[in-house]
Amino acid sequence: MSQRRKLQGYDFYQTVLKNAKYFLAPMVDQSEYAWRILSRRYGAQVCYTPMIHAKMFCDEKNRHYQSEVWSTGINDRPLIVQFCANDPETLLKAALKIQDQCDAVDLNLGCPQHIARRGHYGAFLQDEWDLIYKLINILHENLSVPVTAKIRVFPEVEKTIKYAKMIESAGAQLLTVHGRIRDQKGHDSALADWEQISQVKKVLNIPVIANGNILYFEDIERCISMTGVDGVMSAEGSLYNPAIFSGSNLPVWQLASEYLDICRTVPTKLGYIRGHLFKIYRPALPFHVDLREQLAKVTTFEEICAISDELQSRLMKTAEASSYVYDNKVENDENGYKIFPHWICQPYIRSPALGNLNSKEKIENR
């Protein structure tokens, strides 16, 4: 390990992360370098890489994977690199490759997808506390940068608290808590439990970041107020509105155009670009089904840009013909969600997840 003094806990949070409140989540195929550039323009203060598979990253025969998942630049800081792993030595080998180009290394303990079950990582390590301790501790003892972790909660808050304290004792210097259990994902995600996050924050001596239920900029301060956390992480919310940390809901074409301009100079996989445009343009695409179908079939960057330009032209005409004026005084629907026209960036509302809550509870717990 480097002989320089490695900052820990709140020293790390205050000195390196600059007391950040706005965190862009690690997202597979979605928090790549180009997206991080865009997110930082609109207020993201700390960014995570997509989850990197430690074993694949260490495979020298798989250089293609290394170049696909890992790229950065001089202004891409503070940056936390996230790995998934189930073997301490392999995790350390992977982390040593990038420790000099980032500010911390994060262990993914929250991925609930089937691929994580098959690969035996993410949230599917949640019951193997001895292994988790070893994974975190080997990084803590051997890296020149701090180790952090991202977890999901257990159904029982007492178990979540013990789990979080174990992770802190292993050497984690910052903990992100996603307030959902492992089985809550996709359309079955339901509401994240901010009360559990609050209880974890009360017992730890390291910074705690909350994840879950962030649809609008106002939700960030609401979450901090209700949980006492140090910062808030946005995943899906930032994909549908890349400017979420700025408090703005801008025209979809503006954010799409900026992202594509970045991709002109930052090599980005076509599948990543298409995925981002589908999310940015999501509210508008049902009104332009022909372009939605074309976007799904494109094979070149130039084709994607042409479709985006055409969609921008159509939407600008619609916006000009409307009487809508965005002045931060947005009306809400009967469930408390903001009503935007379809050419404005807006969150994806998963209404089935809130089906058993009345309107008042939706607004208070969102």
Side-chain angles (χ1 to χ4, degrees):
M1 185 174 70
S2 169
Q3 294 302 307
R4 69 181 184 182
R5 177 174 176 264
K6 180 167 63 174
L7 296 176
Q8 301 184 19
Y10 276 97
D11 284 343
F12 162 66
Y13 176 68
Q14 294 164 0
T15 303
V16 178
L17 303 187
K18 310 296 184 184
N19 292 304
K21 291 201 299 183
Y22 308 144
F23 289 70
L24 178 71
M27 296 174 284
V28 175
D29 298 345
Q30 296 178 318
S31 60
E32 85 287 347
Y33 181 31
W35 191 256
R36 298 196 299 269
I37 293 173
L38 180 66
S39 299
R40 291 184 194 277
R41 285 183 184 176
Y42 287 95
Q45 296 167 319
V46 175
C47 293
Y48 284 65
T49 67
M51 180 192 74
I52 298 173
H53 195 293
K55 185 176 180 180
M56 294 175 64
F57 195 70
C58 289
D59 185 356
E60 293 303 324
K61 297 179 181 178
N62 199 352
R63 294 292 181 87
H64 175 71
Y65 177 77
Q66 295 176 12
S67 61
E68 187 174 279
V69 299
W70 172 241
S71 60
T72 186
I74 189 171
N75 296 317
D76 192 24
R77 307 294 282 269
L79 178 66
I80 298 180
V81 179
Q82 186 187 74
F83 287 101
C84 68
N86 55 32
D87 177 75
E89 293 295 338
T90 301
L91 175 60
L92 176 60
K93 183 179 178 182
L96 287 170
K97 287 177 172 290
I98 51 79
Q99 68 171 345
D100 293 332
Q101 300 176 71
C102 66
D103 298 290
V105 170
D106 187 77
L107 177 62
N108 182 321
L109 297 171
C111 181
Q113 304 303 325
H114 292 300
I115 190 171
R117 182 193 293 273
R118 293 195 302 270
H120 189 220
Y121 60 79
F124 296 95
L125 298 182
Q126 197 172 38
D127 297 312
E128 300 182 46
W129 291 19
D130 287 344
L131 174 57
I132 289 173
Y133 185 97
K134 292 175 182 176
L135 288 165
I136 293 173
N137 191 250
I138 196 170
L139 299 185
H140 176 59
E141 294 293 338
N142 292 280
L143 293 185
S144 61
V145 295
V147 55
T148 68
K150 185 172 185 287
I151 67 170
R152 285 186 170 234
V153 299
F154 288 92
E156 308 84 10
V157 66
E158 296 81 9
K159 190 171 184 180
T160 301
I161 289 172
K162 290 180 181 178
Y163 183 49
K165 292 175 74 172
M166 178 276 293
I167 289 172
E168 180 182 27
S169 71
Q173 303 304 317
L174 177 146
L175 183 67
T176 299
V177 183
H178 187 153
R180 294 184 174 93
I181 63 173
R182 184 169 61 197
D183 294 334
Q184 293 175 316
K185 57 183 181 290
H187 286 282
D188 297 321
S189 62
L191 284 168
D193 189 343
W194 283 0
E195 178 58 28
Q196 280 228 41
I197 298 175
S198 174
Q199 294 303 312
V200 170
K201 170 59 183 173
K202 289 177 181 177
V203 300
L204 295 192
N205 297 309
I206 58 175
V208 174
I209 309 303
N211 183 209
N213 301 350
I214 305 301
L215 298 179
Y216 311 108
F217 179 74
E218 297 87 343
D219 293 330
I220 296 173
E221 287 303 325
R222 183 181 297 113
C223 180
I224 292 173
S225 176
M226 292 179 65
T227 63
V229 293
D230 300 282
V232 170
M233 177 178 285
S234 176
E236 189 172 86
S238 68
L239 294 177
Y240 292 96
N241 179 17
I244 188 171
F245 292 122
S246 71
S248 300
N249 290 79
L250 302 172
V252 290
W253 64 78
Q254 178 177 332
L255 278 304
S257 178
E258 283 194 51
Y259 175 64
L260 290 174
D261 284 345
I262 293 168
C263 292
R264 295 180 197 279
T265 57
V266 176
T268 305
K269 189 176 178 181
L270 194 68
Y272 299 172
I273 299 172
R274 176 168 37 220
H276 282 304
L277 292 193
F278 265 117
K279 289 182 172 62
I280 294 173
Y281 280 130
R282 186 200 63 82
L285 288 174
F287 297 88
H288 302 277
V289 178
D290 59 324
L291 295 183
R292 181 175 64 188
E293 293 175 351
Q294 291 177 41
L295 183 59
K297 298 175 182 178
V298 294
T299 58
T300 69
F301 179 72
E302 289 72 23
E303 289 175 313
I304 283 184
C305 291
I307 292 170
S308 183
D309 289 344
E310 173 60 22
L311 188 51
Q312 174 177 342
S313 176
R314 294 185 189 183
L315 293 173
M316 289 182 71
K317 290 178 181 178
T318 303
E320 290 169 0
S322 79
S323 59
Y324 177 80
V325 177
Y326 183 70
D327 59 2
N328 285 315
K329 296 179 181 179
V330 181
E331 294 183 359
N332 293 348
D333 66 15
E334 66 276 12
N335 293 316
Y337 298 118
K338 296 182 179 182
I339 302 173
F340 294 106
H342 64 269
W343 60 85
I344 295 293
C345 285
Q346 54 196 276
Y348 177 29
I349 307 297
R350 297 182 183 276
S351 55
L354 305 179
N356 62 348
L357 296 175
N358 63 40
S359 297
K360 182 174 184 292
E361 288 173 325
K362 289 177 185 178
I363 296 170
E364 291 177 350
N365 292 281
R366 187 182 61 229

